[in-house]
Amino acid sequence: MGWWLLDADTLVSSRFVVSPLAEATACLFALVRCAATAADERAWLSRHLPGFRAYLAADPVTEALLAAATGATWTADFLTKPPFLVERASFDDELAELRAISDAEVRANLEVSLMGRPLPGVLLTASGLADRAADLLTWIWTETVRPDWDRRRRVVEADIVARTRQLSLGGWAAALDDMRPGMRWLGTGRLQINRHDYPPRDISGTRLTFVPVTPKAGWVAWDGDHRGYAVFYQCSGRLAEPGREPVPEALERLLGAARAQVLVLLAAPLSTTQLVALTGQGLGSVGRHLRVLLDAGLVSRRRAGRSVLYYRTAVGDGLTTARTSARTGC
């Protein structure tokens, strides 16, 4: 995509959105890619790949549709529409937008994504192509995302809080530069989307949305009339992988499981809102744990713009490290 040119109004009115459909689409891409770099990713793939492959084997039209839509450098547009519905739209609400796409538009999108290669014959005669894609995403949502959606949503919301704080502290460069590979804020209204040598695109006066997802996936999208654009990106670092910071058993016994979880997460500064999103605990509970940890000298706090950030003190670090070492025998 090269880079986008956008005016101040477009930038100021841009927003972050939680999209259940985007999460399901990112999981679909992960299953198609069939590659994992971490143990939890491999476990997720091993659980869901057999069912995914069986689904496609039972429906050759959907199998051909997915291969044509994702098999080239450019993913077919009908599969990656921007989420411009109301905040906290349901999965079914978002999916209705996909189901409304005509067969003619789907085929036109596929012709672009196939980059000159002929459309498979089965896709020339089949009908209800968008419905087939929607049915596949419904299966992905039901089988692989919804059982874990509460946790995934908390991770996405925590990323949005973190990005918003970065924006308030360091401007757009701080919020956008590490959002996805090759993306960075160039200044003077220019947003580099990737490193490809594509002509610049003026998106001034349109709607711009940023959509975090938890799988390792990222793409850009726009609607058919180019009035709305979206950047989909993987949640940053530790927010996307909250399960990789185990709470030592001994620390749980000492402080209680919920309070120990808060202390472990505060290896890096976090706001109360981020802690609520990451832990799933209520705001009042997190506040009480923070007060106890502050009084005990295990955490400290500082103001960053309009947010208050909490972080472990040297005493808190020592307690966490000591308990971890005792459990692992290091």
Side-chain angles (χ1 to χ4, degrees):
M1 196 68 253
W3 53 273
W4 291 346
L5 179 66
L6 56 161
D7 58 15
D9 289 341
T10 300
L11 201 55
V12 169
S13 62
S14 65
R15 59 192 178 119
F16 289 86
V17 170
V18 178
S19 170
L21 179 58
E23 186 73 9
T25 303
C27 287
L28 171 63
F29 292 159
L31 288 165
V32 169
R33 191 173 61 246
C34 190
T37 57
D40 58 343
E41 293 173 336
R42 290 192 292 271
W44 182 87
L45 281 174
S46 67
R47 284 198 308 273
H48 300 300
L49 263 176
F52 174 65
R53 289 169 173 166
Y55 183 104
L56 294 180
D59 185 355
V61 176
T62 299
E63 186 174 30
L65 176 65
L66 181 62
T70 63
T73 303
W74 188 265
T75 302
D77 288 351
F78 75 89
L79 205 54
T80 58
K81 291 291 186 181
F84 291 120
L85 296 171
V86 296
E87 293 287 348
R88 294 190 177 274
S90 70
F91 176 78
D92 290 334
D93 287 338
E94 289 192 279
L95 204 63
E97 298 281 305
L98 172 57
R99 292 191 184 278
I101 299 174
S102 68
D103 287 337
E105 183 177 346
V106 170
R107 291 190 181 99
N109 290 170
L110 291 174
E111 288 173 357
V112 173
S113 66
L114 288 171
M115 304 176 70
R117 288 179 289 160
L119 202 64
V122 68
L123 299 182
L124 292 172
T125 57
S127 60
L129 297 178
D131 275 332
R132 291 177 185 272
D135 290 344
L136 174 60
L137 284 165
T138 299
W139 184 90
I140 297 290
W141 168 258
T142 303
E143 298 295 327
T144 79
V145 179
R146 189 167 60 187
D148 191 34
W149 176 236
D150 286 344
R151 182 195 67 82
R152 290 173 183 264
R153 187 185 65 246
R154 289 195 300 270
V155 173
V156 167
E157 289 171 345
D159 182 272
I160 291 174
V161 170
R163 295 283 176 186
T164 303
R165 181 172 63 84
Q166 285 179 320
L167 177 60
S168 66
L169 294 176
W172 287 103
L176 303 180
D177 276 1
D178 67 340
M179 186 171 280
R180 55 191 302 263
M183 181 169 167
R184 64 193 181 99
W185 179 245
L186 300 175
T188 62
R190 296 174 301 152
L191 176 61
Q192 180 178 302
I193 297 302
N194 55 39
R195 298 187 183 94
H196 298 309
D197 188 19
Y198 293 133
R201 184 185 294 270
D202 189 347
I203 69 168
S204 299
T206 66
R207 298 164 297 185
L208 178 58
T209 304
F210 299 101
V211 189
V213 296
T214 64
K216 187 175 182 180
W219 64 95
V220 296
W222 50 86
D223 56 17
D225 54 14
H226 291 265
R227 291 183 301 177
Y229 288 75
V231 176
F232 299 80
Y233 66 95
Q234 184 189 19
C235 293
S236 58
R238 59 196 294 274
L239 295 180
E241 302 165 347
R244 297 186 185 179
E245 295 187 70
V247 179
E249 261 182 55
L251 195 62
E252 285 187 352
R253 291 197 300 271
L254 180 67
L255 300 178
R259 191 168 297 154
Q261 183 186 26
V262 171
L263 182 62
V264 168
L265 285 169
L266 289 177
L270 294 171
S271 68
T272 304
T273 306
Q274 287 174 292
L275 286 167
V276 169
L278 283 170
T279 63
Q281 301 176 36
L283 181 61
S285 296
V286 169
R288 286 191 293 273
H289 296 323
L290 287 171
R291 171 50 56 193
V292 172
L293 294 171
L294 281 165
D295 290 345
L298 300 179
V299 303
S300 189
R301 62 186 174 186
R302 61 180 171 83
R303 181 165 291 279
R306 284 184 272 181
S307 298
V308 176
L309 301 180
Y310 296 84
Y311 55 95
R312 284 202 308 251
T313 62
V315 177
D317 281 340
L319 181 63
T320 305
T321 303
R323 294 297 169 181
T324 301
S325 299
R327 187 183 68 169
T328 59
C330 295

